Amino acid sequence: MFLLRAAEGPRWMAVFLLLAALCCLFSPVVMVKHENFKTCEQSGFCKRNRQFADDAASSSWVSPYALDPASITFKDGQLAATVLKTLKEGEEKVRLPLIVTFLESGVARVTLDEEKRQKGDIILRGDSKARKERYNEASNWAIVGGLDAATGAALSAEAEAGYTKVFYGDGGKHQALIRHHPFSIEFQRDGETQIKFNDKGLLNLEHWRQKVEKVEKVKVEEKKEGEEEKKEGEEENKEQEPQGEDESTWWDEAFGGNTDTKPRGPEAIALDITFPGYEHVYGIPEHATGLSLKTTRGGDGAYSEPYRLYNADVFEYELDSPMTLYGAIPLMQAHRKGSTVGVFWMNAAETWVDIVKTKSITNPFSLGLLGKTDTETHWISESGIMDVFVFLGPTPQDITRQYGELTGFTALPQSFAIAYHQCRWNYVTDEDVKDVDRKFDKFKIPYDVIWLDIEYTQEKKYFTWDPLTFVNPTKMNEHLDKRDRKLVAIIDPHIKNTNDYPVIDQMKSKGLAVKNKDGNDYEGWCWPGSSMWIDAFNPAAITWWKTLFKYDSFKGTASNTFIWNDMNEPSVFNGPETTMPKDNLHHGNWEHRDVHNVNGMTFHNATYEALLERKKGEIRRPFALTRSFYSGSQRVGAMWTGDNLAEWSHLHASIPMVLNQGISGFPFAGADVGGFFGNPSKELLTRWYQAGIYYPFFRGHAHIDTRRREPYIAGAPYTEIITQALRLRYQLLPAWYTAFHEASTTGAPIVRPNFYIHPEDENGFAIDDQLYIGSTGLLAKPVTQEGADSVSVYIADDQPYFDYFDYTLYQGAGHHTVAAPLEKIPLLMQGGHIIPRRDRPRRSSGLMKYDPFTLVVVLDKDGNASGTLYVDDGATFDYQKGAYIHRRFGFDGKRSALTSIGLGTKGTKTDAYLKAMAKVRVEKIIVVNAPSAWEGKTEVVVSEEGAKESARRKKVAFEYFAKDGKKAAWAVVRDPKVGVGKGWKIDFS
Ligand SMILES: *[C@@H]1O[C@H](CO)[C@@H](O)[C@H](O)[C@H]1NC(C)=O
Ligand SMILES: *[C@@H]1O[C@H](CO)[C@@H](O)[C@H](O)[C@H]1NC(C)=O
């Protein structure tokens, strides 16, 4: 959250008020303060590299990078060589060590570094204590596996002048074609080029050079002493200045009243990556844009700025904009019919990405035949080594799995975490919390978690409670626990710099704060006023952080308390672009510049680790929400899309943003339901709940200046409609949990865009306003337009789709109008799936733990269906020892039988868990699109594994409902009494 108050920043406040007043003159709506954030033109290295790209577009351009063939070695799946950068005739070439690693998974990794800096053979300007190497530790934070080198990778025997070829991937179907002069790489699959590096010649590693002091004429005149010497210096400078290079921001750079000193001078790393034949690219969150990324240079409807990745507290953010937001995942995938490929640009510094699409006419004489579109991208990072992973697909599932093997899969959350969260800034007292809790019960509205924003603390000192307003947090937690409900409290990375606060004293005395460029504790301004920031890059800081969360340290918390990490970009109110100065220093003397985009993840990680160890012997899966994130954050919690607005447009924008998180490896995502800033109309609030039930992370939240909007406040008919939406989320929790399990083992998104499910359907590649839930075949199209009473749902295939509530049939590829009056949530079921549910309404998900299941069998056009269910205790790590139920349900149309087959493998805790779940049964089976041959049938035959002789082949009541107009025929088996953890068969023939 973000808000400035006079008391907290008088200087800032004055500016803020002035700007706010100016804004209001022109526009009635709140809007982002553009002037606080850099454009590419205002970001020195971005501007230089865009200029570089313009220069390279000329026909005489030759990339100054060449691979020295004599330097090539190849061993154990790894190619090493030196790339030489030519400066000017006669000058020594810059040596850049290149390593290309071919991984067992079929992924390739390319790193390029700078030899002089590897060796520490440079001089830092000023008295800087910063590291001399290029930052090479992003992998320490982002990567957890998948790095086994491919033993089968082989250099091609056929020698071709100027090339080195390596075969890798399954059976050598991948090929890296490394051109020596100029240096470039083509990645091929089955002989076809999919990805090209430096094809446009935009590779640009700004090598280290010593500053040649320039002396201004005026100053020379002022200072008579040593006049001559300096004049000489000036001339020399002119000579040395590389032609046409813009040096203005090489050595320091001012923005918004802050000056960034650059002890290492210019050090950007940039590369063009081309996807030939690919018209659509997705990914690189976080931006408030559509799923299929727009071009950024030239072209209709294009942006004029590159997509920016520089985690920042962009308050009241703007929609349909490549501006940076709170988190960064530099993973991009390109998609066309029959192929998905991708790149992961693992750099933690400020990064800009330009996207250009070009149509190449393959044969100018074949009129009417459109040429194919290439997507050309240009990646520009301020510092660090170049470290890029290349994925050759060919399916979207391959990309999400391989990326997940590298950066980790989504942590399987506790089951409460995927239920509904009720938040606002702020529930003001412990009595207020209990009162809200009671009202949810009174109105029979399910919810699992209530949240506390910063006001619960004493004067914004984290790990304390305001003694006047939160008098008895322990009692409050006990109250919540009665209905198995949880509390989430906010803990931010800025620590109040004040007296009588042990947390700041410890952090200072242990030296665990982020340092300024001089090596002293950095002090900035945030919620508490003067603050310092924990440096969670430091292992000692994580160790210390853990001590703060122990129940006897953070008194008033209990096993049902969880944590929310906000402001971890980090947000610094008086810092450049509302964050830290880039020349601040972190653990290991890395500059903040180098690590900025992973900063939020390190703090989130520390919190996760702390939650694991709150009490000896009590090991529960942590829950920690983060605002800032990087590749790998999915291992430690959930994210939300930050401070959105209570406007229809923001509701609409949330769908592609959440979908993009899904395909980018961090699917546990959601937007603030209702919109953070402003007061939503009752209609908007209702529609937002109806959409929010499809966010993997589902939380209502509101700014401190808004009116209360808990679901029970809206009144008739809204409260009832919102309650129905919440019940639908709760009813489908088994399907959601199964989708989370799938994400945690395969990297598949929890909610999926059309292209991911139907990768062959070209018409659906840009569709981003509807979503599929996991592998369930549930297709939701949230209403995001005011006054709408229908929506247009896009169907990609020829399967039958059925309305979730009344089984109305929709069939045929294309758009279908589905009625959506306010009380209706457009939700279809694709034929061919079996959807698990729990139908008994409860107050919280914890109370559903032993409830029976319903299976909805939706037959496809051939009369078949299948689906899975994953269940465990929803809290501990016992599932890692086999304490879970994982079933595959299959309906075979030919045999007319439904079966349940176990998918799990047995572990030490399997038997105990199955015993605990022995009484949990399937109490209802609904078959949608039931064959007409069943008409008149009154019984089905049920057999269960291990059942007593007398109970084998028992007969169970069955009811058939014939087709009614557009409504499909359906049938119901009432209480077959089969165990959810058992094998069984139901015979419908
Ligand atoms: C958190 O960071 C520490 C230190 O780098 C690392 O050992 C640990 O595995 C991380 N935790 C997770 C869940 O990624
Ligand atoms: C239906 O399921 C059966 C058994 O699983 C399978 O043999 C058959 O091929 C399926 N039919 C189609 C058209 O997929």
Side-chain angles (χ1 to χ4, degrees):
M1 95 234 94
F2 193 109
L3 170 126
L4 280 166
R5 293 188 208 163
E8 283 159 345
R11 188 167 55 91
W12 241 84
M13 193 60 195
V15 177
F16 174 76
L17 287 175
L18 181 68
L19 289 170
L22 284 173
C23 274
C24 293
L25 287 180
F26 303 110
S27 154
V29 293
V30 279
M31 57 193 294
V32 69
K33 297 208 290 298
H34 277 278
E35 62 283 7
N36 281 357
F37 299 96
K38 289 183 183 177
T39 59
C40 176
E41 182 80 13
Q42 291 166 322
S43 178
F45 73 95
C46 185
K47 182 181 178 192
R48 292 196 296 275
N49 279 285
R50 263 194 163 185
Q51 183 60 48
F52 192 91
D54 290 343
D55 296 346
S58 85
S59 58
S60 61
W61 175 260
V62 183
S63 169
Y65 297 83
L67 186 145
D68 172 10
S71 68
I72 297 175
T73 61
F74 187 85
K75 197 171 169 259
D76 301 333
Q78 201 169 69
L79 179 143
T82 304
V83 171
L84 300 171
K85 176 183 182 183
T86 302
L87 301 176
K88 263 191 288 182
E89 273 318 311
E91 267 181 48
E92 199 186 329
K93 292 181 177 15
V94 180
R95 298 174 60 82
L96 309 174
L98 168 80
I99 296 176
V100 188
T101 314
F102 302 94
L103 305 175
E104 198 57 57
S105 58
V107 175
R109 179 185 191 179
V110 181
T111 65
L112 189 69
D113 204 339
E114 186 177 350
E115 192 177 275
K116 232 179 161 47
R117 290 194 44 189
Q118 277 184 336
K119 292 180 172 161
D121 186 16
I122 66 165
I123 301 157
L124 299 178
R125 299 199 322 113
D127 296 322
S128 175
K129 296 171 179 64
R131 280 282 269 270
K132 293 180 172 174
E133 302 99 302
R134 283 178 171 267
Y135 183 62
N136 58 6
E137 293 185 358
S139 62
N140 292 5
W141 292 100
I143 303 292
V144 291
L147 291 181
D148 294 341
T151 46
L155 273 182
S156 168
E158 52 175 308
E160 205 178 312
Y163 282 100
T164 301
K165 278 191 209 172
V166 180
F167 293 98
Y168 67 108
D170 198 9
K173 68 178 178 195
H174 297 169
Q175 196 181 146
L177 209 68
I178 304 171
R179 188 201 298 261
H180 302 162
H181 201 300
F183 166 65
S184 71
I185 312 181
E186 280 184 27
F187 295 92
Q188 303 186 338
R189 191 187 64 229
D190 299 323
E192 204 185 335
T193 300
Q194 311 292 341
I195 295 178
K196 297 195 269 190
F197 279 15
N198 203 32
D199 185 53
K200 304 271 136 195
L202 308 189
L203 172 62
N204 183 26
L205 184 143
E206 294 180 334
H207 61 284
W208 181 80
R209 62 210 97 186
Q210 194 161 5
K211 187 181 181 197
V212 179
E213 295 300 333
K214 260 194 203 175
V215 181
E216 306 260 329
K217 261 236 154 67
V218 209
K219 279 187 187 155
V220 175
E221 275 158 18
E222 271 171 14
K223 271 202 166 185
K224 283 178 185 139
E225 231 180 11
E227 189 174 0
E228 253 183 15
E229 192 186 296
K230 279 175 186 170
K231 268 188 180 157
E232 261 170 36
E234 199 186 11
E235 269 163 29
E236 187 183 83
N237 185 48
K238 253 181 207 148
E239 247 172 44
Q240 286 202 348
E241 197 172 315
Q243 260 182 347
E245 276 199 87
D246 171 15
E247 280 190 41
S248 58
T249 52
W250 273 12
W251 311 109
D252 48 50
E253 188 166 342
F255 183 77
N258 273 278
T259 298
D260 173 20
T261 65
K262 302 192 178 187
R264 303 172 303 217
E267 52 175 332
I269 172 79
L271 175 72
D272 62 272
I273 301 177
T274 300
F275 302 99
Y278 290 87
E279 189 172 350
H280 292 274
V281 287
Y282 310 114
I284 56 169
E286 185 182 25
H287 301 98
T289 58
L291 190 66
S292 179
L293 301 174
K294 288 188 184 177
T295 59
T296 59
R297 296 200 89 180
D300 292 336
Y303 298 136
S304 55
E305 288 287 304
Y307 285 88
R308 188 182 191 204
L309 296 168
Y310 189 59
N311 298 348
D313 188 351
V314 182
F315 113 108
E316 289 172 346
Y317 60 78
E318 175 176 73
L319 303 179
D320 193 17
S321 162
M323 257 181 103
T324 197
L325 289 176
Y326 311 90
I329 300 178
L331 170 71
M332 179 185 278
Q333 44 202 306
H335 183 73
R336 62 172 168 81
K337 192 172 178 172
S339 180
T340 316
V341 297
V343 292
F344 169 34
W345 177 268
M346 194 172 58
N347 186 296
E350 178 182 351
T351 297
W352 299 78
V353 186
D354 262 321
I355 298 175
V356 176
K357 297 185 186 181
T358 55
K359 268 215 166 12
S360 53
I361 314 281
T362 15
N363 179 356
F365 300 105
S366 60
L367 288 173
L369 257 183
L370 277 175
K372 63 189 180 66
T373 299
D374 298 342
T375 298
E376 300 164 5
T377 64
H378 185 198
W379 299 69
I380 309 165
S381 291
E382 184 178 15
S383 67
I385 61 168
M386 186 179 104
D387 197 348
V388 198
F389 291 85
V390 176
F391 307 89
L392 292 180
T395 68
Q397 290 71 27
D398 291 325
I399 311 288
T400 44
R401 190 191 66 251
Q402 291 170 342
Y403 173 77
E405 283 165 3
L406 292 168
T407 61
F409 297 130
T410 296
L412 185 65
Q414 291 207 32
S415 43
F416 79 81
I418 67 171
Y420 175 61
H421 300 258
Q422 180 62 46
C423 187
R424 100 166 256 113
W425 180 17
N426 222 97
Y427 292 115
V428 292
T429 63
D430 47 2
E431 282 307 322
D432 188 13
V433 168
K434 287 195 262 181
D435 182 55
V436 171
D437 181 82
R438 281 188 210 106
K439 291 216 173 89
F440 267 90
D441 281 351
K442 184 174 162 211
F443 286 85
K444 298 194 168 58
I445 303 172
Y447 97 101
D448 268 55
V449 194
I450 190 159
W451 289 52
L452 294 179
D453 211 318
I454 51 176
E455 311 300 331
Y456 79 89
T457 59
Q458 185 175 24
E459 296 156 358
K460 314 292 185 297
K461 291 186 285 195
Y462 301 113
F463 308 101
T464 69
W465 298 89
D466 187 320
L468 297 178
T469 52
F470 285 83
V471 181
N472 198 337
T474 300
K475 261 228 166 91
M476 175 180 71
N477 271 322
E478 285 166 4
H479 173 96
L480 294 171
D481 194 44
K482 277 185 203 141
R483 312 233 186 283
D484 219 336
R485 291 192 176 125
K486 323 288 173 187
L487 181 83
V488 169
I490 200 167
I491 298 279
D492 287 351
H494 49 260
I495 304 297
K496 184 169 177 138
N497 188 20
T498 185
N499 298 325
D500 293 330
Y501 182 31
V503 178
I504 189 76
D505 295 341
Q506 289 169 18
M507 188 167 83
K508 281 186 191 166
S509 66
K510 290 171 188 283
L512 302 175
V514 179
K515 307 283 189 284
N516 64 20
K517 67 179 167 49
D518 304 317
N520 302 316
D521 288 346
Y522 168 72
E523 188 251 310
W525 206 260
C526 206
W527 295 127
S530 171
S531 304
M532 290 177 176
W533 276 259
I534 175 177
D535 183 12
F537 285 89
N538 187 344
I542 301 178
T543 306
W544 169 65
W545 197 242
K546 287 177 184 174
T547 66
L548 302 176
F549 288 82
K550 307 274 183 202
Y551 297 136
D552 52 10
S553 171
F554 191 1
K555 292 210 169 63
T557 60
S559 61
N560 64 339
T561 312
F562 297 88
I563 299 298
W564 169 17
N565 288 158
D566 196 359
M567 314 293 277
N568 52 335
E569 296 73 22
S571 177
V572 180
F573 295 161
N574 61 338
E577 302 195 84
T578 329
T579 189
M580 260 181 197
K582 284 177 169 170
D583 47 13
N584 269 6
L585 295 172
H586 288 266
H587 177 66
N589 281 337
W590 294 112
E591 274 196 294
H592 186 70
R593 169 189 342 277
D594 296 322
V595 302
H596 177 84
N597 281 349
V598 281
N599 180 81
M601 176 165 81
T602 64
F603 177 65
H604 189 205
N605 166 289
T607 302
Y608 174 95
E609 296 287 332
L611 286 177
L612 268 182
E613 294 184 20
R614 287 190 289 180
K615 187 178 160 195
K616 223 181 156 83
E618 181 193 88
I619 299 185
R620 295 283 180 277
R621 294 175 229 166
F623 173 78
L625 179 76
T626 185
R627 190 171 71 182
S628 187
F629 56 88
Y630 189 72
S631 300
S633 291
Q634 68 273 13
R635 304 190 302 266
V636 284
M639 63 75 70
W640 93 107
T641 62
D643 298 348
N644 60 358
L645 271 60
E647 290 174 8
W648 288 92
S649 57
H650 273 258
L651 165 57
H652 189 78
S654 71
I655 310 294
M657 288 178 81
V658 167
L659 285 170
N660 197 11
Q661 287 293 128
I663 59 164
S664 303
F666 194 3
F668 196 1
D672 281 344
V673 170
F676 180 64
F677 290 108
N679 293 301
S681 68
K682 289 179 180 183
E683 182 192 351
L684 174 57
L685 184 68
T686 304
R687 289 303 197 187
W688 212 317
Y689 270 98
Q690 291 178 334
I693 63 169
Y694 302 120
Y695 300 151
F697 172 65
F698 177 29
R699 181 183 75 156
H701 188 32
H703 187 274
I704 197 164
D705 292 339
T706 62
R707 290 191 289 276
R708 290 261 171 149
R709 56 165 95 137
E710 289 67 31
Y712 47 79
I713 287 176
Y718 305 99
T719 293
E720 181 56 27
I721 296 171
I722 294 170
T723 305
Q724 289 309 327
L726 284 157
R727 292 239 173 95
L728 179 57
R729 172 72 170 214
Y730 276 71
Q731 179 182 55
L732 286 169
L733 282 177
W736 282 99
Y737 198 60
T738 302
F740 269 82
H741 175 257
E742 199 182 329
S744 76
T745 54
T746 70
I750 294 158
V751 292
R752 305 174 184 176
N754 195 77
F755 92 87
Y756 194 90
I757 304 273
H758 306 285
E760 304 292 317
D761 174 39
E762 284 177 295
N763 295 328
F765 289 168
I767 287 187
D768 59 7
D769 56 0
Q770 55 183 48
L771 52 88
Y772 286 89
I773 303 172
S775 301
T776 61
L778 283 164
L779 170 59
K781 167 91 187 216
V783 176
T784 59
Q785 240 152 27
E786 187 166 19
D789 57 10
S790 70
V791 291
S792 171
V793 179
Y794 177 75
I795 288 178
D797 56 7
D798 62 353
Q799 285 294 348
Y801 285 70
F802 304 94
D803 184 280
Y804 181 82
F805 303 97
D806 67 11
Y807 314 143
T808 299
L809 170 73
Y810 298 90
Q811 193 163 18
H815 283 91
H816 294 258
T817 301
V818 176
L822 189 63
E823 67 281 4
K824 179 95 190 288
I825 305 175
L827 179 62
L828 303 183
M829 305 182 285
Q830 183 193 31
H833 297 273
I834 298 180
I835 303 158
R837 323 194 295 214
R838 274 175 158 158
D839 287 356
R840 302 190 179 184
R842 300 279 185 191
R843 294 162 204 252
S844 75
S845 73
L847 303 175
M848 299 166 78
K849 205 168 168 182
Y850 298 110
D851 278 356
F853 289 86
T854 291
L855 298 179
V856 184
V857 179
V858 191
L859 300 182
D860 67 10
K861 56 186 164 59
D862 303 310
N864 284 348
S866 70
T868 57
L869 171 68
Y870 175 83
V871 196
D872 63 20
D873 68 18
T876 74
F877 287 96
D878 285 356
Y879 68 92
Q880 292 171 347
K881 295 178 182 146
Y884 63 85
I885 289 168
H886 195 192
R887 311 294 306 180
R888 170 170 296 284
F889 307 113
F891 189 91
D892 179 347
K894 269 218 187 79
R895 297 200 172 84
S896 229
L898 176 68
T899 50
S900 168
I901 302 162
L903 292 177
T905 48
K906 220 174 141 125
T908 52
K909 299 216 166 177
T910 307
D911 287 342
Y913 182 67
L914 289 181
K915 208 171 156 200
M917 293 291 284
K919 293 220 168 87
V920 179
R921 67 190 200 280
V922 176
E923 69 169 347
K924 194 200 263 181
I925 292 164
I926 297 168
V927 182
V928 179
N929 199 18
S932 55
W934 291 358
E935 188 142 20
K937 203 173 169 46
T938 55
E939 294 175 334
V940 292
V941 178
V942 176
S943 38
E944 190 181 43
E945 75 178 351
K948 288 198 201 88
E949 198 62 39
S950 58
R952 288 232 177 104
R953 298 195 56 78
K954 71 185 172 197
K955 295 200 161 117
V956 172
F958 168 91
E959 216 175 332
Y960 180 86
F961 302 87
K963 191 167 177 291
D964 173 12
K966 287 212 75 187
K967 290 178 187 152
W970 61 287
V972 62
V973 178
R974 286 193 216 283
D975 215 353
K977 293 200 173 65
V978 286
V980 73
K982 293 221 174 108
W984 45 257
K985 182 175 168 198
I986 300 179
D987 205 332
F988 290 74
S989 61

